[in-house]
Amino acid sequence: MSDSESDLDNGQNESSENNSEVEENGEEEQVESDDEKKQNSIEKNVTWKDLGLIDVLCDACNELKWKKPTKIQLEAIPVALQGKDVIGLAETGSGKTGAFALPILQSLLENPQRYFGLVLTPTRELAYQIAEQFEALGTSIGVKCCVIVGGMDMVAQALQLAKKPHIIIATPGRLADHLENTKGFNLKAIRYLVMDEADRILNMDFEVELDKILKVIPRERRTFLFSATMTKKVKKLERASLRDPVKIEVSGTYQTVEKLQQYYVFIPMKFKDVYLVHILNELSGNSFMIFCSTCNNTVRTALMLRSLGLGAVPLHGQMSQNKRLAALNKFKAKNRQILISTDVASRGLDIPHVDVVLNFDIPTHSKDYIHRVGRTARAGRSGKAITFVTQYDVELYQRIEHLLGKQLPLFKCEEEEVMALQERVGEAQRTARLELKDIEDRKGSKRKSGGDNADDDDTEQFNGARKRIKHFGGGKNNKNRSQKFKKKK
């Protein structure tokens, strides 16, 4: 039952006590609900054309199956098309990329030039994703994008920049390197600057690099600042780089989407792995993102799950960029159903088929929880998020509940069923420890010999892991595995 319905019910129950009061309340509620209905029907009926977009871009949106604008797009695009600076605050997964990409592309069509827009993002994976969206929206108009991030060859990037793309998508650190070291490259022609996930850019201490970049781009430009959360640093940045901005806030400061089902599970620390395997088995058939606190733990957990025959890939900051992209692509292509990551993948990544987010290690910053669980239930779809709480995490978990303003329900697990897996998980843990040691030894020997250790990043070549997960996700293997688990139980 919705809140408005329960309020009306309460009103009816109290009618005998105070009729006049109820009539007043009822009228107020009726007015409110009528206003809401009008607002909803307006939002439902608005088309891309109504926002002021030209036909080419409306067609591009329809081809991407973007049926109608999201709230942030509804409010930000008309303002941006009027040539104003925008601060957009919206929950993660609400369509922020489209909200800044579409006005920039429309402006580019009206005034074609190279080095037209610059988008700054905190993480490399997000940069590639934004580039994909720009290219998808601009396919019919021949938009050229260039991604400038760390971990890739600078000379190859310099050659790309020499071709003078329309849109540059970059992480601040690598862009600052190119401004200092690449001859002939400057940003004097830039007309649009976008800072996406601005709070994270500043939390990652890119302030020095940002200052360098802001000094060398024209003051006569449009600036868009997008973030899921507003912090003191973002306010400072807003004062420094925006002129008379229009602030658009389509949700509360810290909010998760309505269709996200959130749970917690309270477990002893020593049985975390056993509970993880149990939940993966209970919810099998879904695709999972599992968040760990350290790079080492992502690899260890991936190795443990693989030795149980589950197709898991790790993604963390110490992997080479090519390996990070390879891991992400395996997951996006549904070749693997489990992505185990540090917070490097918690921001902005749009992988539509993520069904369940597991917070294996609870985030130390409550705001990171919002971003992690935002990887599922995106763009109107539903999703689940389950947070593992051990005896050492109670305070951190209470902070998350305080931030959300509600208590989360318990995810029910039958203890007997969980403990039936203990022996098998124990064997897998031992295998993972040995394989992890093997990886560290190989890395150490390569460092001594001066070789590149990038080949060790993905870990799938170790101890026949590939054979074990060759056909994960379909056919007989998956059935056999679930039957084995049930027999064991």
Side-chain angles (χ1 to χ4, degrees):
M1 188 186 282
S2 69
D3 289 344
S4 58
E5 285 171 338
S6 61
D7 288 346
L8 285 168
D9 285 352
N10 292 339
Q12 284 165 0
N13 293 339
E14 290 163 8
S15 60
S16 56
E17 291 172 26
N18 195 333
N19 263 343
S20 60
E21 201 176 300
V22 171
E23 278 170 26
E24 283 171 24
N25 289 344
E27 279 171 26
E28 277 174 29
E29 280 168 6
Q30 191 61 45
V31 170
E32 276 178 30
S33 63
D34 285 349
D35 286 347
E36 278 172 25
K37 279 176 191 169
K38 276 182 196 171
Q39 185 61 37
N40 289 338
S41 66
I42 289 167
E43 282 178 16
K44 274 179 190 171
N45 297 327
V46 170
T47 63
W48 294 106
K49 197 162 182 103
D50 295 336
L51 298 184
L53 292 174
I54 55 173
D55 291 342
V56 180
L57 293 175
C58 292
D59 293 343
C61 292
N62 292 328
E63 277 177 33
L64 288 176
K65 296 194 169 51
W66 294 4
K67 290 171 187 168
K68 59 185 176 65
T70 63
K71 282 185 182 177
I72 185 76
Q73 291 163 352
L74 203 64
E75 294 190 36
I77 290 172
V79 173
L81 290 173
Q82 288 167 23
K84 294 181 178 172
D85 286 3
V86 174
I87 298 167
L89 294 176
E91 63 212 14
T92 184
S94 59
K96 293 196 291 278
T97 307
F100 62 74
L102 288 164
I104 291 174
L105 290 172
Q106 180 143 323
S107 184
L108 175 62
L109 277 169
E110 289 163 7
N111 308 290
Q113 71 161 62
R114 300 294 183 158
Y115 289 161
F116 188 76
L118 169 65
V119 182
L120 295 176
T121 77
T123 66
R124 303 167 184 183
E125 286 72 27
L126 185 52
Y128 282 101
Q129 184 179 291
I130 291 169
E132 279 170 21
Q133 292 220 335
F134 263 103
E135 283 165 359
L137 289 167
T139 305
S140 56
I141 55 176
V143 168
K144 296 281 181 286
C145 296
C146 173
V147 178
I148 302 296
V149 296
M152 304 298 271
D153 183 45
M154 270 194 76
V155 177
Q157 287 178 348
L159 291 170
Q160 278 183 296
L161 288 170
K163 291 176 184 171
K164 300 197 171 175
H166 301 108
I167 311 290
I168 298 168
I169 300 106
T171 48
R174 178 50 66 94
L175 186 67
D177 288 345
H178 278 287
L179 286 167
E180 286 174 3
N181 303 314
T182 303
K183 284 184 182 175
F185 171 60
N186 64 63
L187 297 171
K188 288 174 186 169
I190 290 291
R191 303 279 291 277
Y192 280 84
L193 170 68
V194 180
M195 283 175 269
D196 192 22
E197 302 287 359
D199 53 338
R200 181 79 188 275
I201 289 176
L202 294 165
N203 281 348
M204 290 170 79
D205 295 327
F206 280 130
E207 285 178 75
V208 175
E209 288 85 352
L210 265 182
D211 287 342
K212 282 180 190 171
I213 294 162
L214 291 171
K215 277 176 191 167
V216 297
I217 59 176
R219 292 197 170 189
E220 295 299 315
R221 63 165 195 269
R222 297 276 63 80
T223 307
F224 301 153
L225 197 69
F226 281 85
S227 180
T229 50
M230 192 68 168
T231 63
K232 287 175 186 172
K233 286 183 176 180
V234 175
K235 281 182 182 166
K236 186 179 164 191
L237 183 63
E238 171 200 328
R239 287 197 299 274
S241 59
L242 280 79
R243 288 186 304 174
D244 300 325
V246 177
K247 189 172 180 182
I248 294 163
E249 191 167 357
V250 298
S251 67
T253 319
Y254 306 113
Q255 197 176 332
T256 52
V257 292
E258 286 173 21
K259 288 194 176 180
L260 175 66
Q261 299 171 309
Q262 300 173 79
Y263 303 93
Y264 78 95
V265 55
F266 190 62
I267 49 179
M269 183 73 172
K270 65 179 177 180
F271 296 132
K272 254 177 115 171
D273 287 345
V274 187
Y275 272 85
L276 174 65
V277 174
H278 170 74
I279 287 170
L280 290 174
N281 187 41
E282 282 294 299
L283 302 175
S284 63
N286 291 303
S287 68
F288 299 85
M289 277 186 82
I290 301 173
F291 284 100
C292 297
S293 55
T294 64
C295 300
N296 198 52
N297 206 19
T298 60
V299 179
R300 184 201 68 80
T301 309
L303 290 168
M304 180 198 73
L305 294 178
R306 281 186 190 147
S307 69
L308 290 165
L310 297 165
V313 282
L315 176 70
H316 57 80
Q318 288 176 7
M319 288 164 72
S320 69
Q321 187 56 36
N322 286 332
K323 290 288 181 184
R324 279 162 73 166
L325 289 173
L328 204 52
N329 288 336
K330 279 178 193 171
F331 184 64
K332 277 186 173 178
K334 302 186 183 180
N335 294 335
R336 301 287 181 274
Q337 285 187 302
I338 303 167
L339 181 70
I340 304 175
S341 174
T342 55
D343 279 317
V344 77
S346 70
R347 287 293 184 114
L349 285 186
D350 185 23
I351 305 165
H353 65 84
V354 177
D355 302 308
V356 185
V357 167
L358 298 177
N359 287 304
F360 186 62
D361 293 329
I362 203 162
T364 46
H365 298 291
S366 309
K367 288 175 205 168
D368 287 336
Y369 173 85
I370 305 284
H371 294 291
R372 284 182 179 189
V373 300
R375 296 314 99 217
T376 186
R378 294 176 75 79
R381 288 178 289 269
S382 58
K384 271 194 182 74
I386 302 169
T387 300
F388 286 48
V389 185
T390 71
Q391 64 269 40
Y392 307 113
D393 304 323
V394 176
E395 192 181 333
L396 288 171
Y397 177 69
Q398 284 172 337
R399 281 186 210 161
I400 289 168
E401 284 196 330
H402 179 69
L403 185 78
L404 295 171
K406 62 180 177 184
Q407 289 189 327
L408 302 184
L410 180 71
F411 185 82
K412 290 185 174 66
C413 293
E414 292 295 330
E415 198 175 333
E416 282 181 24
E417 288 185 12
V418 178
M419 288 302 124
L421 299 169
Q422 194 177 348
E423 195 178 319
R424 287 196 63 197
V425 173
E427 285 170 25
Q429 287 172 326
R430 285 189 288 278
T431 307
R433 277 197 293 273
L434 290 169
E435 290 186 1
L436 198 59
K437 189 174 183 303
D438 193 7
I439 292 168
E440 290 304 319
D441 291 346
R442 286 179 190 228
K443 283 187 177 181
S445 63
K446 282 197 177 182
R447 277 191 212 108
K448 282 176 190 170
S449 62
D452 182 19
N453 63 4
D455 290 343
D456 293 347
D457 288 328
D458 187 22
T459 69
E460 280 196 4
Q461 70 272 36
F462 285 94
N463 295 352
R466 272 213 179 90
K467 287 176 193 167
R468 282 199 295 272
I469 59 176
K470 206 190 301 186
H471 301 294
F472 180 81
K476 293 174 187 172
N477 277 17
N478 214 20
K479 283 181 189 170
N480 292 344
R481 190 179 318 109
S482 58
Q483 281 166 7
K484 274 182 196 170
F485 272 116
K486 279 169 188 165
K487 277 180 195 171
K488 195 76 183 169
K489 288 173 192 174

